[in-house]
Amino acid sequence: MKIGIALGGGGAKGFAHLGVLNALSEAGIDCDIVAGTSIGALIGAVYSSGDIKRLEEFAKNLSLADLPFLLGPTWPAGGLFSGKYIEKLLRDFVPLSDIEKLSKPFAAVSVDLKKAELFTFKEGDLHLAVRASTSIPGIFKPVHFEDKLLVDGGVLESVPVAAARELGADLVIAVDLLSDLTETGDRTWSLLDIVQRSSVIAQRLITQYRFQEDPPDIVIRPTLSHVKVMDFHRGRQIIEYGSRAAEKILPELLRLTGKR
């Protein structure tokens, strides 16, 4: 049985993927196939290369002072940030240039603005693929590839279950970072809060529809409503939220995989 994992998008919430992958590994579950959207593509690429522990240490040690360097503000045409630092970060963790050279089949999901449809990288330039998948519209500059103009895959598919199945997964674990919309009490809403919340609501509804159309076998839903998209300085906490969520589904996953 080939186990696939679909790692969803969600900015800093994506550090929860590190906790999920940790919990699965400790339970003796190694995913054979990896598909990712946005930060899920970045973490999935590193996981597929076998260097996930180093990325985890990096995430745990990020501070607020590191955020400007992580984003790399250059005010280019088409977005507030160029996205080049994310590509540089990926090259540091995954020097491999081609998707085919990874130790696991891997897919990075993006959206072609010109044709208004999904475009999934399953081969070719790994760094370009991840950069395209992480290019949040209006935040990061879109990526030009052949005749396409590519942005974050979360625009149409936040959790790439279909991509994992297309790569040959028999069982798909979906990690949905945007399912938790719990609100706690009254507060002042900033412009950024409003934009982020609106985006999460839209992506959540798209994910619900996609799950009905192509249901994953297991869904992991970390409690992340209180984590903002740019809370990269909270890496240690977010990783722990991912671990807790994964531990809850382990009995069912072990049953499905015949490991218990």
Side-chain angles (χ1 to χ4, degrees):
M1 175 186 290
K2 290 185 178 180
I3 301 173
I5 190 161
L7 302 173
K13 296 173 189 277
F15 284 159
H17 291 318
L18 297 169
V20 168
L21 293 169
N22 238 341
L24 296 182
S25 177
E26 289 176 2
I29 296 171
D30 183 47
C31 298
D32 306 293
I33 289 167
V34 183
T37 292
S38 198
I39 193 166
L42 173 63
I43 291 176
V46 178
Y47 175 64
S48 299
S49 76
D51 202 12
I52 198 71
K53 283 294 182 183
R54 192 159 69 94
L55 180 59
E56 183 179 338
E57 286 306 308
F58 173 83
K60 286 179 177 179
N61 290 294
L62 275 174
S63 68
L64 273 174
D66 295 317
L67 187 57
F69 301 99
L70 185 65
L71 295 174
T74 57
W75 301 91
L80 299 179
F81 308 100
S82 68
K84 289 182 179 179
Y85 185 81
I86 291 177
E87 184 175 346
K88 180 179 180 297
L89 183 70
L90 179 63
R91 288 182 186 276
D92 180 42
F93 284 99
V94 189
L96 299 173
S97 58
D98 297 323
I99 291 173
E100 297 92 326
K101 294 179 181 178
L102 293 170
S103 61
K104 303 174 186 287
F106 171 75
V109 176
S110 60
V111 169
D112 180 8
L113 290 180
K114 292 183 179 180
K115 294 183 178 179
E117 64 185 21
L118 288 172
F119 180 79
T120 301
F121 287 90
K122 299 174 189 174
E123 58 185 16
D125 190 327
L126 172 65
H127 305 112
L128 183 143
V130 172
R131 185 169 168 189
S133 187
T134 56
S135 292
I136 302 170
I139 302 298
F140 292 109
K141 187 177 180 181
V143 170
H144 292 270
F145 174 67
E146 296 178 346
D147 61 341
K148 301 170 181 62
L149 186 63
L150 302 175
V151 296
D152 193 309
V155 171
L156 290 179
E157 186 154 60
S158 293
V159 189
V161 173
R165 292 205 193 280
E166 288 167 8
L167 286 175
D170 301 304
L171 181 149
V172 177
I173 303 165
V175 187
D176 182 4
L177 305 175
L178 305 178
S179 62
D180 179 20
L181 285 176
T182 306
E183 264 301 309
T184 54
D186 294 329
R187 63 184 176 93
T188 302
W189 288 65
S190 69
L191 176 59
L192 184 59
D193 290 334
I194 292 169
V195 171
Q196 288 181 1
R197 178 90 171 168
S198 300
S199 176
V200 167
I201 290 170
Q203 290 182 62
R204 183 192 186 196
L205 290 174
I206 290 172
T207 299
Q208 288 176 345
Y209 171 77
R210 296 289 284 166
F211 279 8
Q212 289 174 2
E213 186 180 65
D214 188 3
D217 299 280
I218 290 283
V219 184
I220 300 174
R221 295 184 171 99
T223 302
L224 297 168
S225 63
H226 56 297
V227 175
K228 296 181 180 180
V229 173
M230 293 297 178
D231 280 352
F232 290 99
H233 61 290
R234 297 176 60 191
R236 194 174 296 272
Q237 290 176 306
I238 299 169
I239 290 169
E240 180 59 28
Y241 298 143
S243 295
R244 291 177 193 168
E247 287 165 1
K248 291 179 181 178
I249 59 83
L250 277 177
E252 177 64 8
L253 180 57
L254 291 170
R255 184 189 69 79
L256 288 174
T257 56
K259 294 182 180 292
R260 176 176 294 179

